[in-house]
Amino acid sequence: MSVLNCLVCKSEVDIESNTLTGEIVECSSCGQEHEVHSIENVFTIALAPEIEETWGE
């Protein structure tokens, strides 16, 4: 498991060792979603993209 800091509130965000690139993890303190990126078992996180409404398109 890796522990990274939330990009918004700086609280700890736990990343399980079997987490895949592109998975979304949520900060338990502020609820911000982060997208996980992994290169050779080194994890980084970025703010998750907002899901836009397609309005039936």
Side-chain angles (χ1 to χ4, degrees), residues 18-25 34-37:
N18 61 349
T19 302
L20 301 174
T21 293
E23 284 190 50
I24 302 297
V25 295
H34 296 81
E35 184 174 11
V36 175
H37 300 278

Side-chain angles (χ1 to χ4, degrees), residues 1-46:
M1 179 183 336
S2 294
V3 177
L4 300 174
N5 291 333
C6 174
L7 299 175
V8 175
C9 73
K10 308 300 182 210
S11 294
E12 291 183 348
V13 177
D14 295 328
I15 310 293
E16 298 294 330
S17 59
N18 61 349
T19 302
L20 301 174
T21 293
E23 284 190 50
I24 302 297
V25 295
E26 186 175 310
C27 174
S28 60
S29 294
C30 72
Q32 175 64 48
E33 293 182 335
H34 296 81
E35 184 174 11
V36 175
H37 300 278
S38 172
I39 299 173
E40 297 178 10
N41 291 328
V42 175
F43 295 102
T44 60
I45 55 176

